[in-house]
Amino acid sequence: MNGYMTQENKVLLHKELCARLPHGVIVNAPLWDDKRCDAKLTGIADDGSLTLDLPADCCFNLNDVKPYLRPMSSMTDEEVKEFYDVECIDAKVGYIKPTWNWHFTINGIDWLNAHHFDYRRLIERGLAIEVTEENNPYKK
């Protein structure tokens, strides 16, 4: 991410990456000569420096990377059922895809992180890259 990032966005992205670290989040990061690569995030320091699973020993900061996340709207019907089970929601009461107005449990947040869903709207803030069928680093 080139340019200035607000302190609010830095704090938000730091929280998100810390929560997603155990779930193998993949980020897009700069290399050299204006080239970029996709790599698994392997560590985050309190100062915001990041380490990635790359052959060279590289260190990045929050301004440099964008995680690949799925929009909430991309949740499949099967995933909605699985999410409802995790959240202990009775699907018979009302089978509605999750919206931004939901209040998630810790188990729900863990599930969303493990499935790389963007429940904090990082994509629309320009802090994350939307996973699509054609652009999905998790499918390998």
Side-chain angles (χ1 to χ4, degrees):
M1 217 172 135
N2 295 333
Y4 176 76
M5 185 186 296
T6 66
Q7 186 61 29
E8 176 186 1
N9 283 346
K10 282 182 185 179
V11 169
L12 177 61
L13 187 56
H14 191 261
K15 284 181 190 177
E16 279 294 300
L17 293 176
C18 285
R20 294 173 186 279
L21 184 62
H23 303 289
V25 66
I26 296 174
V27 298
N28 184 267
L31 288 176
W32 56 89
D33 297 332
D34 293 328
K35 294 182 180 166
R36 299 186 68 85
C37 73
D38 298 338
K40 183 178 172 184
L41 181 66
T42 58
I44 304 172
D46 287 340
D47 67 359
S49 60
L50 311 172
T51 53
L52 305 177
D53 185 18
L54 292 172
D57 186 24
C58 299
C59 188
F60 300 91
N61 68 46
L62 291 173
N63 290 340
D64 294 331
V65 302
K66 288 186 179 185
Y68 283 91
L69 300 177
R70 296 174 59 194
M72 292 290 285
S73 61
S74 73
M75 194 178 290
T76 66
D77 289 341
E78 189 59 39
E79 287 171 323
V80 170
K81 290 176 190 174
E82 187 179 337
F83 182 71
Y84 275 18
D85 287 344
V86 169
E87 286 283 283
C88 299
I89 297 170
D90 184 355
K92 294 176 187 170
V93 173
Y95 189 74
I96 304 168
K97 285 193 175 189
T99 68
W100 295 115
N101 298 325
W102 281 43
H103 297 277
F104 305 115
T105 66
I106 294 299
N107 290 337
I109 290 171
D110 286 344
W111 187 91
L112 291 167
N113 285 339
H115 291 84
H116 310 292
F117 282 104
D118 178 22
Y119 57 89
R120 290 192 192 225
R121 301 180 181 175
L122 297 182
I123 295 168
E124 70 183 53
R125 292 177 185 226
L127 300 174
I129 298 170
E130 181 176 343
V131 171
T132 63
E133 232 2 87
E134 302 79 32
N135 183 31
N136 186 349
Y138 300 108
K139 270 192 173 180
K140 289 188 178 182

